[in-house]
Amino acid sequence: MLDFIINILQTPAIVLGLVALIGLILQKKSFSKVFSGTVKTSLGMLIIGFGASIIVNEILPFVDLFSEVFNLSGFATTSEAVVGAMQNSVIEIARTSALIMSIGFLVNVLVARFSPLKYIFLTGHMMWILSVAIAGSLYVNGLSEVTIIVVGSILQGLVMAILPAIGQPTVRKVIGGDDFAMAHLTTLGTVATGYIGGLLGDKSKNAEEIKLPESLSFFKDTSMSVSILIGVFYLLVSLLAGPEKVSKFSDGQNYIIFAIMKSLGFASGILILLQGVRMFLGELVPAFKGISDKLVPGAIPAIDVPALFAFAPNSLMIGFVTSVIGMIIGMFVSSALFKVAPLVSIIGAFFTGGVAGIFGNARGGRRGAIISGLLYGFILILGSGFIFTIFDYTKYGAVGVGHDCIDVMALILLLKNFYIGLIVIILAFIVLSVFKTRRDKNIK
């Protein structure tokens, strides 16, 4: 039964379909509307997943070619690989993290029901990463399994309410309301760099309002701008690599044609993902009203970062490009300071560097988007290098990989001293609750 529950929680399409189902039933909608809303919500989430998979598959050869061309060596930045290895290698972490994930979700719902932080965290793979990071950190502190499960579940539930609360003031600026919140373990990084972008930027010059001459008006079309941008990247790296190196990935296809087709494939993934976002939000947000009104009054669904992409496509691409640059700088600085080189994460640069650009634009216009993306990429890689030096991944089966989720890095640092970490998280919850209560009173 536990495995069944965990499998559900790890499958976003099912979780969000169930959320829509419950919400529509609570609103006493007709059977056809309940059925249609549930299926369309799940389909929208699946379409997002398919789009994301295409993006990843099309960009992976670029990542390998990039490393070869610039003779990079180091460790890959991917939190999924780190926590997956920890679960496979340490049975105590596997057991406790599974329970933390499932019980922690219930704690999150209770927190949303009885506290001012009304956010229900619905990004399944982020819940999984968080649960393993918490279990691993408490395990390293030498706590018993029962203590790890009890304390870990409470921490999981609190953190899943705290992170969306931190991000919501900026998300609100992007989407114009509280229809949904962001549920991702890059919140601290994207929000902080967004604020810095706001301080150093110029809000009057919005990246989404960039005026182009008629001859370049095709750049306003997302499919065109993405295809051209990624095409330039792919062609440049392919030309530098040469046909022999590219042939390892192209399966006999001409290396120039290969680069062009990969860039077009990447753009098609973006278009599929954005279509899924529109379909998913169009069904989930109205359905969630039932839960908000009846089950957890005032509840706000906290969902994955692609939900933000359609609101600011220009800022997304600015954040993507500048975060790649920031990551390259961070890689060399990390190598000099910590003697380790976290490799540039092109996928992380797009999905979360893009969000940093969106947040930077919301607070500081196009200059804010550039600054935010650049800083985010730099901080992510530098932080990954630092954490790699203080946490022995190889002891727990994670070889050649490091974290790319800034929130997880912060959590690992906090929980190095269990009591200090616990106090900081509880204080953060209290402070955010007070601010949220005051804001709600001012609105009334």
Side-chain angles (χ1 to χ4, degrees):
M1 179 58 71
L2 178 61
D3 284 342
F4 178 72
I5 293 170
I6 290 168
N7 278 325
I8 288 177
L9 291 174
Q10 288 178 331
T11 309
I14 295 178
V15 170
L16 293 163
L18 289 172
V19 168
L21 174 69
I22 294 167
L24 291 167
I25 289 172
L26 288 172
Q27 291 179 71
K28 298 180 180 178
K29 297 291 184 181
S30 66
F31 172 79
S32 63
K33 287 186 177 178
V34 171
F35 183 72
S36 173
T38 302
V39 172
K40 283 185 177 179
T41 299
S42 293
L43 280 175
M45 198 62 219
L46 283 173
I47 291 169
I48 291 172
F50 290 144
S53 296
I54 291 171
I55 291 168
V56 171
N57 287 334
E58 298 301 296
I59 205 67
L60 279 177
F62 175 88
V63 175
D64 292 333
L65 285 169
F66 186 90
S67 298
E68 283 196 34
V69 167
F70 294 99
N71 196 27
L72 299 175
S73 62
F75 64 86
T77 47
T78 165
S79 290
E80 285 89 344
V82 175
V83 298
M86 289 174 70
Q87 272 193 327
N88 290 333
S89 302
V90 185
I91 188 64
E92 292 86 353
I93 292 176
R95 279 199 300 259
T96 55
S97 63
L99 287 165
I100 287 170
M101 183 175 172
S102 51
I103 300 171
F105 180 72
L106 297 177
V107 172
N108 178 216
V109 173
L110 290 173
V111 168
R113 176 65 178 85
F114 296 107
S115 87
L117 304 187
K118 300 295 183 183
Y119 308 99
I120 298 180
F121 198 104
L122 297 171
T123 308
H125 69 292
M126 290 290 118
M127 291 164 61
W128 167 60
I129 292 170
L130 179 62
S131 68
V132 180
I134 289 174
S137 296
L138 299 183
Y139 174 79
V140 170
N141 273 279
L143 303 179
S144 68
E145 283 197 34
V146 173
T147 305
I148 291 172
I149 292 165
V150 173
V151 175
S153 297
I154 294 170
L155 288 176
Q156 176 97 352
L158 290 177
V159 171
M160 290 198 305
I162 288 169
L163 292 179
I166 290 171
Q168 195 57 17
T170 308
V171 170
R172 196 179 296 120
K173 285 182 176 294
V174 175
I175 69 173
D178 288 313
D179 287 342
F180 64 87
M182 185 175 85
H184 208 273
L185 297 177
T186 56
T187 301
L188 297 179
T190 53
V191 170
T193 55
Y195 273 103
I196 295 169
L199 290 172
L200 302 177
D202 180 358
K203 195 174 180 181
S204 67
K205 296 179 179 178
N206 193 315
E208 303 310 314
E209 298 171 357
I210 293 175
K211 293 180 179 178
L212 296 170
E214 188 64 32
S215 59
L216 298 176
S217 60
F218 57 82
F219 273 106
K220 293 179 182 178
D221 186 321
T222 302
S223 61
M224 290 299 297
S225 59
V226 172
S227 299
I228 292 168
L229 179 64
I230 299 300
V232 169
F233 276 3
Y234 241 120
L235 281 169
L236 179 62
V237 170
S238 296
L239 287 169
L240 289 172
E244 189 176 333
K245 286 182 179 177
V246 175
S247 66
K248 289 190 258 183
F249 307 96
S250 65
D251 196 26
Q253 191 175 39
N254 177 274
Y255 74 119
I256 301 296
I257 300 298
F258 171 77
I260 292 170
M261 293 309 297
K262 282 295 178 185
S263 60
L264 292 175
F266 184 95
S268 71
I270 297 290
L271 295 177
I272 291 169
L273 184 146
L274 292 176
Q275 177 59 35
V277 167
R278 294 186 192 98
M279 184 177 183
F280 162 69
L281 290 180
E283 298 298 330
L284 179 68
V285 172
F288 199 84
K289 191 175 182 298
I291 293 174
S292 176
D293 291 345
K294 304 285 178 66
L295 200 59
V296 184
I300 298 172
I303 51 184
D304 206 352
V305 292
L308 295 165
F309 292 177
F311 291 89
N314 290 350
S315 306
L316 171 71
M317 297 313 297
I318 290 171
F320 168 45
V321 174
T322 55
S323 67
V324 170
I325 297 168
M327 286 180 180
I328 293 170
I329 297 168
M331 186 186 68
F332 289 109
V333 174
S334 175
S335 182
L337 291 178
F338 310 126
K339 309 304 177 190
V340 291
L343 297 179
V344 171
S345 171
I346 301 296
I347 296 163
F350 177 76
F351 283 99
T352 53
V355 172
I358 291 171
F359 284 179
N361 179 66
R363 294 193 173 275
R366 69 188 74 159
R367 191 198 305 160
I370 292 168
I371 292 168
S372 183
L374 191 70
L375 275 176
Y376 176 80
F378 178 78
I379 292 168
L380 188 152
I381 294 298
L382 195 66
S384 187
F386 175 61
I387 293 294
F388 196 86
T389 64
I390 66 169
F391 187 84
D392 188 1
Y393 294 107
T394 56
K395 248 174 104 174
Y396 305 97
V399 180
V401 290
H403 279 292
D404 64 347
C405 291
I406 290 177
D407 300 350
V408 171
M409 298 178 208
L411 188 69
I412 290 171
L413 278 176
L414 280 176
L415 293 177
K416 268 190 76 68
N417 187 308
F418 168 65
Y419 293 105
I420 290 177
L422 189 62
I423 291 168
V424 169
I425 290 168
I426 292 171
L427 282 175
F429 175 76
I430 293 170
V431 170
L432 287 165
S433 295
V434 170
F435 275 114
K436 179 67 164 53
T437 302
R438 286 180 179 174
R439 181 181 181 275
D440 291 345
K441 284 182 180 178
N442 289 336
I443 290 173
K444 290 177 183 178

